[in-house]
């Protein structure tokens, strides 16, 4: 799938379906998403800025905002349709989040801007070494010294059996 096709797909999804708390297509969803704030906690202080890359309807940011008080999230996604559900999903966290319509591969991230970068089920949409390499370079520049990147995604294993398990 090309990037334009991926964007088209998410622009035509029913965004509300993606903001379910226990989607049947993601077993252990809560457990998986609960791990992300646990990993972030030691690295964040009040007013820390967290960038959620490929944030969709805000599921991962919700997990962070409800677990860690006083941090703020920027939710980046190239699908305005997916982001349109964010104000509803994060309604109880008004003032602690903003959305940003941008392609995470081409976006300008700034330098030393974020205390943490997080992502769930989005970065696997990159294709090839150049896209992955470029993206991780951007993350490295965008993070403050001591910042942390946490990614929750499907990954290939060292062999077919581990890939199947993953
Ligand atoms: C499967 S959804 C996951 C959404 C959310 N992180 C979650 O776990 O519920 C993948 C998201 O990545 C976004 N996405 C994919 N490629 C992107 C790109 N190049 N730039 C920005 N967003 C992208 C899609 O629009 C979609 O909202």
């Amino acid at each position: 799938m090309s990037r334009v096709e991926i964007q088209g797909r998410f622009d035509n999804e029913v965004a509300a379906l993606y903001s379910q708390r226990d989607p049947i297509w993601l077993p252990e969803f809560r457990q998986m998403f609960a791990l992300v704030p646990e990993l972030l906690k030691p690295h964040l202080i009040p007013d820390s800025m967290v960038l959620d890359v490929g944030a969709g309807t805000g599921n991962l940011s919700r997990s962070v905002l409800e677990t860690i008080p006083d941090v703020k999230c920027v939710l980046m996604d190239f699908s305005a349709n997916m982001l349109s559900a964010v104000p509803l999903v994060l309604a109880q966290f008004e003032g602690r989040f903003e959305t940003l319509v941008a392609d995470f591969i081409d976006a300008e991230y700034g330098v030393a801007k974020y205390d943490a970068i997080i992502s769930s089920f989005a970065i696997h949409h990159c294709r090839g070494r150049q896209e992955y390499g470029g993206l991780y370079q951007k993350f490295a520049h965008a993070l403050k010294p001591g910042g942390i990147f946490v990614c929750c995604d499907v990954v290939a294993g060292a062999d077919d059996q581990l890939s199947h398990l993953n």
Side-chain angles (χ1 to χ4, degrees):
M1 250 194 197
S2 71
R3 250 190 283 169
V4 172
E5 287 168 328
I6 294 168
Q7 185 175 11
R9 185 196 134 192
F10 284 104
D11 274 336
N12 287 299
E13 288 281 353
V14 178
L17 285 181
Y18 269 84
S19 46
Q20 293 175 77
R21 283 225 172 226
D22 294 293
I24 51 167
W25 61 87
L26 277 179
E28 315 297 353
F29 172 85
R30 283 186 193 228
Q31 188 191 1
M32 218 175 350
F33 275 34
L35 281 175
V36 174
E38 288 311 312
L39 288 165
L40 295 185
K41 262 183 198 165
H43 299 268
L44 302 184
I45 54 171
D47 290 328
S48 284
M49 291 295 290
V50 178
L51 175 67
D52 184 351
V53 172
T57 56
N59 289 325
L60 188 61
S61 286
R62 174 174 58 196
S63 174
V64 170
L65 291 169
E66 61 192 8
T67 311
I68 313 177
D70 305 324
V71 300
K72 293 186 176 157
C73 289
V74 177
L75 293 88
M76 178 194 284
D77 203 291
F78 64 7
S79 169
N81 170 50
M82 295 294 275
L83 288 177
S84 71
V86 170
L88 198 64
V89 172
L90 301 185
Q92 69 187 104
F93 306 109
E94 210 184 321
R96 292 180 60 200
F97 68 89
E98 60 187 80
T99 58
L100 182 61
V101 182
D103 182 330
F104 60 60
I105 293 168
D106 298 332
E108 284 298 325
Y109 287 74
V111 178
K113 200 169 165 187
Y114 299 101
D115 300 277
I117 297 179
I118 58 174
S119 187
S120 56
F121 305 108
I123 288 178
H124 64 257
H125 289 296
C126 283
R127 295 291 176 264
R129 272 179 179 274
Q130 205 179 336
E131 279 190 4
Y132 278 104
L135 191 66
Y136 293 138
Q137 289 274 350
K138 282 175 186 254
F139 289 174
H141 290 304
L143 282 170
K144 293 179 185 169
I148 180 172
F149 166 55
V150 180
C151 181
C152 167
D153 211 334
V154 278
V155 292
D159 55 37
D160 287 349
Q161 199 187 349
L162 285 175
S163 288
H164 182 68
L165 202 61
N166 287 347

